[in-house]
Amino acid sequence: LPIAPSTLDALRKAGFAHIADLDDCDPDTLSREAGIPHGAASDVLLCAVRFRGKACGTGSAALPPAAAPGVSALSLLERERSARPIPTLCCDIDDMLGGGIARGQITELCGVP
């Protein structure tokens, strides 16, 4: 369904897990129960009707999972690759660690005292 992730999340939190759960709702009721704007409730119901027409009216389809908010994997990879390591000022350790201690990661150094 082309519905905003925040709206899908609100629907799930209010107990609307399947399209069939929307059967007895009107926009006012859905808006009140899910805590979403009236216009968003109308859009959800319209999408549900359209989806049912494509799905042969089964109504058992689950609402799609909400998109995870955040950053793309590509931007995380680029950020990691561009981050310069923190040098330990010990050439042997820096060489073993690829230039020093990686930023944004947990690094545990241990050995014989």
Side-chain angles (χ1 to χ4, degrees):
L1 298 174
I3 299 170
S6 59
T7 301
L8 287 172
D9 189 46
L11 290 169
R12 276 190 209 85
K13 286 179 182 175
F16 297 97
H18 295 87
I19 292 177
D21 296 337
L22 303 170
D23 282 348
D24 298 325
C25 287
D26 58 71
D28 293 327
T29 304
L30 185 59
S31 174
R32 186 175 55 256
E33 289 184 14
I36 59 177
H38 188 273
S42 296
D43 291 344
V44 167
L45 294 173
L46 181 61
C47 286
V49 168
R50 288 182 181 160
F51 182 81
R52 283 184 156 220
K54 292 178 184 174
C56 303
T58 61
S60 62
L63 292 173
V71 201
S72 73
L74 178 60
S75 69
L76 288 174
L77 179 63
E78 289 171 349
R79 185 184 313 163
E80 184 177 328
R81 285 183 176 167
S82 67
R84 294 179 45 176
I86 302 167
T88 64
L89 303 179
C90 176
C91 294
D92 292 337
I93 292 176
D94 287 344
D95 289 343
M96 286 189 302
L97 297 174
I101 298 173
R103 294 179 189 268
Q105 298 180 10
I106 298 173
T107 303
E108 181 179 356
L109 302 175
C110 56
V112 180

